[in-house]
Amino acid sequence: MKEGDRVVVLTKIALALLWILGFFLAALMLLLVVPFSYRGRIAFNGDGLSGDGKLEWAFGLLGIGISIKEEKRYELFLFKRTVSSGVLGDKELEIKESKRKKKKEKKNLGKRDLEIRELMKIGKDLLAKLHKALGPDYIGIHGRYGFEDPAMTGMVSGLVAIAESVFKSADIRLYPEFTGESVDVQAEFYGRFSLGRLALLAISTVLKKPVRKLVFANGK
């Protein structure tokens, strides 16, 4: 092969690789920028958990739906038409306990308490930002709850109060019952979000010093 022909072949290969790389970069950009839309309903009572939900991308180009009633079913959509459906099987999850020995570190209790407070503050801030990033147009949670142990009911009431302070736009109407065990809660939600915004939120959270220290400590 002549030198000129070899250059032409190499040039064509380089251009083909650039086209392929450009295609994947464009696909990745679309995946990060084009929003997902979602909606769902969940009910939890004495009969167990039931509900349904749907997640769509690119205004219905792709989608998946899940229904939980007597059995768990799924549907895959393409251009808003069902292309596949079936029943989800219940697979037992195998939990493997790590046998690695963790080094016991002696830390000042005051310093540890300060770290926990910083992480709790970051966690509350993360919930608020996550709520904003997921962009729910509506969240409604209604019902009553009560547990055999009144202390547990009181603790859940505290968590509900925190959720109400974070998700101020949500319609949360949950009422505790301290006289007995009874749970009857319904939730409905819909909205849209982009993966790019969630990725930026995840990166900015991991880069915070307390979170970074926790991640690296657990990685040892």
Side-chain angles (χ1 to χ4, degrees), residues 7-54:
V7 172
V8 172
V9 172
L10 291 175
T11 302
K12 289 183 178 180
I13 293 174
L15 288 173
L17 291 174
L18 285 174
W19 274 104
I20 294 173
L21 179 61
F23 172 79
F24 280 109
L25 288 176
L28 178 61
M29 186 61 65
L30 284 174
L31 186 63
L32 292 174
V33 174
V34 176
F36 287 78
S37 62
Y38 59 89
R39 62 178 179 272
R41 294 174 297 176
I42 299 173
F44 184 73
N45 50 40
D47 297 328
L49 180 69
S50 63
D52 57 81
K54 192 173 183 180

Side-chain angles (χ1 to χ4, degrees), residues 189-204:
F189 54 89
Y190 54 85
R192 61 178 55 196
F193 66 92
S194 69
L195 287 182
R197 191 169 182 179
L198 289 178
L200 290 175
L201 177 59
I203 293 171
S204 64

Side-chain angles (χ1 to χ4, degrees), residues 58-123:
F59 309 101
L61 176 63
L62 298 173
I64 181 171
I66 295 178
S67 175
I68 303 173
K69 293 180 181 177
E70 294 181 358
E71 58 183 9
K72 301 174 184 177
R73 300 191 62 86
Y74 76 91
E75 286 185 276
L76 296 178
F77 302 95
L78 182 63
F79 294 106
K80 295 186 178 294
R81 294 187 178 184
T82 302
V83 295
S84 178
S85 63
V87 179
L88 293 171
D90 293 327
K91 295 183 179 180
E92 295 183 358
L93 299 177
E94 297 181 358
I95 303 175
K96 297 181 179 179
E97 295 184 358
S98 175
K99 295 182 179 180
R100 294 182 303 172
K101 293 182 180 180
K102 297 182 179 180
K103 296 180 180 179
K104 295 183 179 179
E105 299 179 359
K106 294 182 179 180
K107 291 189 176 181
N108 181 276
L109 293 178
K111 183 178 179 182
R112 185 61 178 172
D113 183 62
L114 181 61
E115 289 177 356
I116 292 174
R117 290 186 180 185
E118 288 179 353
L119 288 172
M120 289 181 66
K121 183 179 178 181
I122 291 173

